[in-house]
Every structure is written in C-alpha cells, then in structure tokens.
Amino acid sequence: MKLLATAALTWASVRGLSDSPSPYHAPYHRAPTHSRIAKHYMVAVKPSSSAQAVLTSLLTTFPALNLNLDGSIYPPVEENTIRHTYTIQEEEPYEGFAGKFSDDMVKHMLQHPEIMYVEEDQEVHTTGHQHHAPWGLARLSHHKRPVGSESGEYSYDSHSGKGCTVYVVDTGIYKEHNGFGGRATF
C-alpha cells in the first residue's frame, strides 16, 4: 500500500500537478483514469470574479490562447483552446470555462488567484433506475405500455436504444466522430 501511494505521489510530481493546494491557490481535481479525457479541463472561477476577467488575464500570459466558443468540439480542438464558458446557478453563482489545455497552462491556472478549482474533464454514463420518471421517459424503457407500479419507472441499461433508429435535427453533428462507430448518416 505504501509503495502504491509513493508511486502515485511520484507520478503527480512528475506531471507537476498535485491535489494539495500548495504551492497553488486552486485545488486540482483528478478524474478516474478510465473516464478521463486527456488534456481537457473544467475551470471554475471564484464568485468574486468573472470568466471574462480571468480569460483576459490569461491572454496576457498565453497570447496564443484560442477562443472557440461556438460549442463545437469537432474537429478536435488544439491545445489551449477554450470551448465553453458557463455560469453555475447555486446559492452563490459562479462562472467558469472548459477547454483543452497544456500542462503549462494548467499549472498557470492553478496559480491564478481568481480560479476556484481546475478539474479534469471526464466521460459520464448513466446507469440504474429512475423512479417517478416523467411519463414519456418511462414509456421509452418498456416494450409494452407500463401499468401500475412500473408506469413511472425508467431503466438505464446496457441495451437501451439497441435496434432503434434515432433522428436528430442538429447543425453541429460531426458524423465521423468515433463515438458513432460509422453509424451516423445524413
């Protein structure tokens, strides 16, 4: 166990990124290795600042920082490209941005006094059961019309959607993306 912990600390030191706050102002949150999207991060800005102010500040140090705010991530973006800005509406709302960044850029962001945290982006999948799902959603997971106790149940399983044809009207589809496995057509 001690060897494993030492190896993890050594790896973090080699990358120059650590979960500990020192010497950085902002915490660094790692995603599980199996779901991590390499070099992609979400950055939260402190409520006392704004994403625009932080991005303006970052542009002075990294003048080659690209802004690709149309939400498009295909074709794959270059390093140091902002893909999205966002606002989180909580008790104390805050802003942030997401993109693909080099290790140097991440280290710089961790030292920025107006950044609340930097988090590795990751793939997320839904699984399980949703109770009291809306009728339309619950109906999708049953071959026959659900009645009684199953009428509000939606099942997320590994076979969901198998054999279905889905029609999506969207101007931002990159049909060559490997996630479609060649199944997307226009």
Side-chain angles (χ1 to χ4, degrees):
M1 184 63 139
K2 185 177 180 182
L3 179 62
L4 182 60
T6 304
L9 285 173
T10 303
W11 182 84
S13 298
V14 167
R15 283 217 30 189
L17 303 173
S18 165
D19 288 319
S20 67
S22 182
Y24 306 114
H25 297 297
Y28 181 80
H29 302 290
R30 293 191 183 284
T33 305
H34 67 278
S35 62
R36 181 179 304 143
I37 302 173
K39 304 264 184 200
H40 287 256
Y41 301 89
M42 296 173 289
V43 181
V45 175
K46 290 181 179 177
S48 59
S49 190
S50 70
Q52 184 61 46
V54 171
L55 289 173
T56 301
S57 169
L58 291 173
L59 278 168
T60 61
T61 307
F62 290 88
L65 181 63
N66 299 307
L67 298 177
N68 180 17
L69 297 179
D70 65 359
S72 167
I73 57 173
Y74 308 111
V77 295
E78 300 173 19
E79 266 190 1
N80 298 334
T81 299
I82 307 294
R83 293 185 332 193
H84 305 283
T85 60
Y86 56 86
T87 301
I88 303 296
Q89 297 295 333
E90 290 188 349
E91 234 177 82
E92 189 172 13
Y94 62 92
E95 295 180 357
F97 52 92
K100 183 175 182 180
F101 308 114
S102 67
D103 287 348
D104 286 340
M105 179 72 156
V106 171
K107 288 178 198 176
H108 183 76
M109 289 188 296
L110 288 169
Q111 295 171 5
H112 196 288
E114 296 303 316
I115 291 182
M116 190 163 41
Y117 63 84
V118 176
E119 182 173 333
E120 293 176 332
D121 204 350
Q122 62 183 307
E123 290 185 22
V124 179
H125 302 274
T126 57
T127 59
H129 229 63
Q130 180 179 349
H131 304 287
H132 311 292
W135 178 86
L137 185 59
R139 179 68 180 97
L140 289 173
S141 70
H142 300 282
H143 291 288
K144 296 180 181 177
R145 173 176 270 186
V147 293
S149 64
E150 68 177 18
S151 65
E153 301 292 315
Y154 180 75
S155 298
Y156 300 92
D157 63 34
S158 62
H159 302 293
S160 294
K162 188 171 182 116
C164 293
T165 300
V166 177
Y167 297 92
V168 179
V169 179
D170 189 341
T171 60
I173 296 176
Y174 180 60
K175 70 178 188 171
E176 282 79 28
H177 187 272
N178 59 8
F180 289 125
R183 298 182 308 267
T185 60
F186 290 128

